[in-house]
Amino acid sequence: MTTNLREELKAKKQAYVQDEIISAAARLFAERGIRAVTIDDIASSLGYTKSVVYYYFKNKNQVLWEIFNRIHETWMADMQAIVERDIPPDEKLAALIRQHALNVMDRTEWTAIFFRDQSELTESQQATVSERKRTFDRNFRDTYAAGVEAGLFKDIPPVIMAIGIVGMCNQTHVWFKKDKGLSAAEIADHFTAIILDGCRA
Amino acid sequence: MTTNLREELKAKKQAYVQDEIISAAARLFAERGIRAVTIDDIASSLGYTKSVVYYYFKNKNQVLWEIFNRIHETWMADMQAIVERDIPPDEKLAALIRQHALNVMDRTEWTAIFFRDQSELTESQQATVSERKRTFDRNFRDTYAAGVEAGLFKDIPPVIMAIGIVGMCNQTHVWFKKDKGLSAAEIADHFTAIILDGCRA
DNA sequence: ATAAAAATCGACCAACGCGTCAGTTTAGTC
DNA sequence: GACTAAACTGACGCGTTGGTCGATTTTTAT
């Protein structure tokens, strides 16, 4: 059992430092753009040297890829929980909009990267992300389509709705500032209301 | 008068080549991101050498800055024309939304750059762009506020509306493909309808 | 034909940033 | 206290790229 301590410590510290690095990287990436940020920048923003980053990550791409994966996991889990609920389409759409708006504003930096810097990934990573985004949009589309079917929504092409909604929410990452002006919850509620009033039959 | 011919020809050719370069640059910048595009890439996409680009532009930043200026000029002219019209706020808002959506889809590449790569500009250029964006948003805000005043719109904070509208329109640059699926006009009309129905008192 | 201006070429440089690596310090283990 | 895995250091190699510069070709005016 004695050897376990070392392993445990290793795992814990590694997870912790990796989180630190990813957070710092995300902040800088979002602010200046991926290419404008050097590994040195990331490291020294944490008081580390470049080599430390390379000890915990294989290369710059892996740091970036981890950011993409984490944001996707969070968003997808939230979305899945809503989609599986047994509630009418209008309520479901409202919940989806609200949740996505909140998620975007909860981590504006990550959102900026996710929607802006996909081209910095490798070809195959890009393909994966595109597929994920499609799935994401599809949930909005399907929910809207179900609402049209049920006579709750106007007969607007669901694609348009999905694009519009996601666009509206995503762009908040540019303007939203925590602790300044309206709260994330208020903004999310307004957006939800605007869209739902705009598409009710 | 003979010297004038020379000057004229020079001016015309220079304007032409500059346009070529800017268009090519915009296409590549939008696709791969500013930093991922070398001056060589721009030049050779036109069959030129790097030196040709440096003959017509001082440096990379000037090419980028020109893109930012041109898109601003176009958008602002269109917007100004609408703002000055003597029509009720709801019609005005509808016109603004429609026009912006169309402008975005007319030049998806330029839009991508404008909203994504501001951080690649110099500090003072960034300040200028931020100021311009504020002015742009303010026209949406003021128009909405006037509509609320006139009892046409719900009493939602105008800032929210402006953010939502611009976000909705901007994001289309990601999805919109000419000659595929719905036309730009159709999308613009749908967006306009959704928003206006969503905010009418 | 010739001179002057405009346009283009191609070699070059210096800075920069990614990623490597051989070695050193730190901290649990026996 | 010796041993070993983990964590970290600092210097360096190497490719890339923005930008320069003198030389050369092309165009226009006289």
Side-chain angles (χ1 to χ4, degrees), chain A residues 116 137 154 171 175 197, chain B residues 116 137 154 171 175 197:
Chain A
R116 200 185 58 187
D137 289 349
K154 280 185 210 152
Q171 204 70 4
W175 290 277
D197 286 349
Chain B
R116 201 184 58 187
D137 288 350
K154 280 187 211 149
Q171 204 71 3
W175 290 277
D197 286 349

Side-chain angles (χ1 to χ4, degrees), chain B residues 131-147:
Chain B
E131 178 54 35
R132 287 175 182 174
K133 284 184 180 171
R134 259 193 298 279
T135 309
F136 193 80
D137 288 350
R138 188 159 346 146
N139 279 321
F140 279 101
R141 282 215 314 275
D142 290 350
T143 306
Y144 191 79

Side-chain angles (χ1 to χ4, degrees), chain A residues 62-169:
Chain A
Q62 206 175 77
V63 178
L64 183 59
W65 184 229
E66 193 58 30
I67 293 174
F68 271 85
N69 282 330
R70 294 200 180 186
I71 199 163
H72 172 252
E73 277 165 31
T74 313
W75 286 5
M76 254 318 179
D78 288 342
M79 178 168 248
Q80 207 54 40
I82 294 171
V83 168
E84 281 164 4
R85 278 189 220 159
D86 191 23
I87 50 175
D90 53 348
E91 278 181 49
K92 196 176 276 190
L93 188 68
L96 285 174
I97 296 172
R98 208 184 118 83
Q99 185 62 51
H100 184 51
L102 287 176
N103 276 340
V104 165
M105 288 183 274
D106 186 48
R107 300 226 188 168
T108 51
E109 296 122 5
W110 298 55
T111 309
I113 297 167
F114 193 69
F115 285 100
R116 200 185 58 187
D117 298 323
Q118 193 176 337
S119 70
E120 296 295 331
L121 298 169
T122 67
E123 290 288 323
S124 80
Q125 288 170 337
Q126 287 189 43
T128 304
V129 171
S130 292
E131 178 54 35
R132 287 175 181 173
K133 285 184 179 170
R134 257 193 298 279
T135 309
F136 193 81
D137 289 349
R138 189 162 355 174
N139 280 320
F140 280 101
R141 281 215 313 276
D142 291 350
T143 306
Y144 191 80
V148 174
E149 196 90 2
L152 291 165
F153 296 148
K154 280 185 210 152
D155 193 11
I156 300 170
V159 206
I160 300 270
M161 287 308 304
I163 290 175
I165 291 169
V166 178
M168 199 171 198
C169 296

Side-chain angles (χ1 to χ4, degrees), chain B residues 1-11:
Chain B
M1 289 298 111
T2 44
T3 43
N4 273 8
L5 179 55
R6 188 181 239 158
E7 304 269 320
E8 255 177 60
L9 275 173
K10 180 183 173 186

Side-chain angles (χ1 to χ4, degrees), chain A residues 4-19:
Chain A
N4 273 7
L5 179 56
R6 191 179 238 160
E7 301 270 319
E8 254 176 61
L9 275 172
K10 178 183 171 185
K12 255 186 201 154
K13 164 139 204 204
Q14 291 214 338
Y16 177 75
V17 178
Q18 281 181 353
D19 278 356

